[in-house]
Amino acid sequence: MTPTADAPRAEIRDLRIVVRASGEAVVPGIDLTVEAGRIVGLAGETGSGKSTLGLSLLGYVAPGLDVRAGTVRVNGQPVVGEGVQNLRSVRGRTVSYVPQDPSSALNPSLRVGDIVREVMAAHGVLDRGAQRRRAQELFSAVGLPADASFHRRYPHELSGGQKQRVAIAVAFALDPAVVVMDEPTTGLDVSTTRKVVSLVREMSARTGSSVVFVSHDLRLLMSFADRILVMRGGEIVEDVPASRFAEAATHPYSRKLLASLPDTTTLAPRRYRRAGTYALELAAVSARYGKTTATHAVSLRVPTGECLALVGESGSGKTTLARCVAGFHSDYDGDVLVADAVLPRAVERRALAQRRAVQYVFQNPHASLNPRRSVGDSVALAAATLGGLPRRQAWSRAREMVERVGLRADHMVALPHELSGGQCQRMALARALAAQPDVLVCDEVTSSLDVSVQAGIVDLLQDLQKERRLSMLFITHDLTLARVVAENTAVLLDGTVVEYGDSQSVLQAPRHDYTRRLVEAAQATHDQM
Amino acid sequence: MNAANSTPVHDDRRTTVVARMLRDPRSVLGTVAVVLVVVPAVVGPHLATRDPEEFAGAPLLGPAAGHLLGTDILGRDVLTRLLAGGQTFIIQGALATLIGVTLGAGVGIAMAMLSRRASELLLSVNDTFIVIPQILVSLLVITRFGATPPVLVAVVALSHVAHTARVARAATSHVASSDYVLAAAGIGLSRRRIAAHELLPNVLPVLLVELGVRLAASFVLLASLNFLGFGSSGLEWGRMIEENKGGLAVQPLAVMAPVLVMAVFLIGMNLVRDGASRALAARSAR
């Protein structure tokens, strides 16, 4: 079979992949055709089989999984099923791969120039001059500096966005028929993500390569893909053009995904209450890491019972500030005040009542629970130490909190790895609540979760805030989310507050250039809907 | 919220580690080898029909009906001595390892919990101990205090502390920077409770592997000391090798038997340790 220009670039026929041990189907039987030059978005939650499907295009099946039936062909060449031969000559040349985490994808001991040349050498481009010219071409195509000194850099000398650009350059190096991208923007901040996806578009247009883009971020896919497939339980439940997704998606699950996107247009403006006291106050906090200063005299106030969103990109110092509040980072000048009293810098030196008053919920729920202790014990431990409760009462307080966050008592005997990310985050929240805090510090609590799970957590936080008059410091990189949860928003850029006011006006009339760019980026993804 | 209500799946972690090891031919082989050496060594002294010090025949006889492994350079029965010499050797080695690794783990975890400057200072002191040749220090101490069982155990145990402390410190600093340890500090747990309940359970897999490595090192050091004549009973496998090396050409079994027994034992232990670390790694990977 000779592929012509219009022939499909990738064809999956009746693919069935099962777990070897249990025989349970991960992909129960899928057909998929990817046309030339198209960008296909694969959306779905963790465990929906989207990565398994994407990787099958490379002829790769994760250990523990077995292909039971079906074929996969890329550019006419079989990579799964009958007649597979020499996968290595196909991978990298006909079909290439961009993984989720660029820092683990790039060999840390190779210079980036060599990383790009390596794939060419593997596929018979042996002339070093030709390799160098092509590498130069690729680097300038993906918007990286093309000068020789950049080629000599090591991956650890690049930013996350630059690393992902290098990974993309490697993927497009030999003009492959299909490029598979597995959540390539997960670790990146909003504006870098926008740049990366427009780069993907551009590279695809330039080389005619088709792209299969796996992501759990529906909003992102709607902004740049040609076609969106929604996966659920291994099946493709939706397959519509991206431009018409909002209207044309009919499957209940797709509707649910759509509904769980924060909608900025219909949101009623939150009223701005002037409370008498401040639950939390930061007075000219300058946090340091050794000799480098992470934040510059940041002053913020959270009125009692309200929420302040702290928005900024990775590296802006927002997490550092949150850690100063919690006492996990003690190298700072200035003061953190809770209920008008200055807190000691290190958490170890804070009195029990002061520790109880401030509770912290971490970004990664699995990492914040001791992997060798049942989650219920973790919650009860907080109730026992901070609430001063005896064992039995601590456990019943824990159960009350667990039920309050929407889990059942029988979840409490589980170990963290036995729960999903959303369940774990609810447990972490239950632990924080068990202490009966006055101030809750939420550090990107939704960013590692799937969209529909995110919405549930945000709802829960809002209910809790109202119900318990909790004051919150809500750290996020997502401006839209800030507006949904917080009365006030502060925007942080390089450790300095560049915008601070009620969320409504920050979003509608941003004063600083940087905020304007953030708002536009958020708007641009939103307008595609 | 269907996501929030799905029931968690349970697995019994302990059995999966053992089950994994049972499926791995290397760890099965290793266990068999260790059992083959340890069981006779422990019950050996009770099995022996003659006194290990008895002169049972002419010196350096080859294997024969009365002497399955022949006689040694003084005419004593090699098999009897082999059976008698293992018990103290294995008990002393195991005890020394347990003491040494426990101490080292304590020092390492404590180092990881100190401030960075103090921790680095102590680490460089610790590293100085690592580079001092263990055998020389051991010989010095034994010459001064005598080769009694407590001194031997102490010397071998101390030889492990610095090394294990380094490993434990590295593993602990990794765990100590994790969010759940911060969370524990945030809810007001004392340092001692953080060490015992948050850190220790999570560095245990690393310490178990270290225990295997140290166990082998204990026996090597102990056998070397025995070979050099520093044994508590004068009846150790290492001592047998030294005594009979003069008769190696005439009666090789008197030397080869203890060498082989120790080799089987050490190789077996390494296979078990290897299997255990693979099984533990597979568990934490899930």
Side-chain angles (χ1 to χ4, degrees), chain A residues 453-529:
Chain A
V453 182
Q454 261 179 33
I457 297 275
V458 169
D459 284 348
L460 176 63
L461 277 173
Q462 286 183 290
D463 290 349
L464 287 169
Q465 197 202 344
K466 259 181 260 148
E467 178 185 307
R468 297 172 189 243
R469 250 176 93 73
L470 265 179
S471 314
M472 285 204 307
L473 183 62
F474 191 90
I475 318 286
T476 179
H477 62 258
D478 187 346
L479 256 187
T480 344
L481 193 58
R483 176 152 116 177
V484 177
V485 298
E487 283 89 352
N488 296 311
T489 296
V491 178
L492 212 56
L493 173 65
D494 297 332
T496 310
V497 176
V498 295
E499 191 103 19
Y500 182 25
D502 68 288
S503 307
Q504 203 61 28
S505 30
V506 167
L507 256 108
Q508 265 161 13
R511 273 176 304 206
H512 194 273
D513 265 356
Y514 175 71
T515 323
R516 220 165 285 140
R517 281 210 309 280
L518 278 184
V519 173
E520 274 160 19
Q523 222 77 52
T525 36
H526 188 79
D527 286 347
Q528 309 283 330
M529 297 177 42

Side-chain angles (χ1 to χ4, degrees), chain A residues 176-190:
Chain A
V178 178
V179 179
V180 179
M181 301 194 170
D182 191 3
E183 306 255 13
T185 58
T186 307
L188 306 175
D189 57 59
V190 196

Side-chain angles (χ1 to χ4, degrees), chain A residues 370-446:
Chain A
N370 187 336
R372 303 254 182 263
R373 180 189 290 138
S374 80
V375 289
D377 278 338
S378 284
V379 179
L381 187 65
T385 6
L386 288 175
L389 298 176
R391 225 181 113 71
R392 187 182 294 262
Q393 272 164 283
W395 187 262
S396 69
R397 162 94 60 87
R399 190 163 66 202
E400 193 186 313
M401 294 307 152
V402 166
E403 279 163 3
R404 178 61 196 90
V405 298
L407 295 172
R408 289 191 318 266
D410 60 325
H411 287 111
M412 294 170 74
V413 294
L415 290 173
H417 77 264
E418 295 166 333
L419 297 179
S420 71
Q423 289 172 329
C424 257
Q425 196 57 290
R426 282 167 194 267
M427 276 296 172
L429 204 53
R431 171 175 62 185
L433 293 175
Q436 303 193 305
D438 304 321
V439 177
L440 196 61
V441 182
C442 299
D443 183 11
E444 300 262 15
V445 289
T446 58

Side-chain angles (χ1 to χ4, degrees), chain B residues 148-170:
Chain B
T148 60
V151 172
L152 277 175
V153 169
V155 155
V156 176
L158 282 178
S159 76
H160 299 318
V161 173
H163 206 281
T164 304
R166 201 176 209 300
V167 172
R169 178 188 170 273

Side-chain angles (χ1 to χ4, degrees), chain A residues 101-103 106-108 110-116 139 142-145 147-170 188 192:
Chain A
D101 182 2
S103 29
L106 304 180
N107 184 339
L110 285 185
R111 299 171 192 276
V112 294
D114 294 330
I115 292 175
V116 180
F139 278 168
V142 297
L144 287 170
D147 56 292
S149 71
F150 186 80
H151 288 240
R152 282 201 301 274
R153 291 227 220 146
Y154 287 99
H156 72 264
E157 298 173 300
L158 309 184
S159 73
Q162 285 180 318
K163 278 186 247 186
Q164 199 55 287
R165 281 163 197 266
V166 172
I168 291 172
V170 172
L188 306 175
T192 316

Side-chain angles (χ1 to χ4, degrees), chain A residues 232 323 328 355 362 367-373 381-382 385-386 406-408 411 413 415 418 423 426 431, chain B residues 1-11 13 179-180 182-183 185 187-189 193 197-198 201-202 205 283:
Chain A
R232 177 126 216 243
R323 293 191 166 222
F328 300 150
R355 294 191 195 189
F362 294 84
S368 72
L369 294 163
N370 187 336
R372 303 254 182 263
R373 180 189 290 138
L381 187 65
T385 6
L386 288 175
L407 295 172
R408 289 191 318 266
H411 287 111
V413 294
L415 290 173
E418 295 166 333
Q423 289 172 329
R426 282 167 194 267
R431 171 175 62 185
Chain B
M1 268 287 96
N2 52 356
N5 283 328
S6 67
T7 308
V9 196
H10 270 293
D11 59 359
R13 291 155 300 139
D179 286 349
Y180 57 86
L182 277 184
I187 63 170
L189 291 189
R193 288 190 64 186
H197 297 294
E198 311 291 327
N202 289 295
R283 179 178 81 181

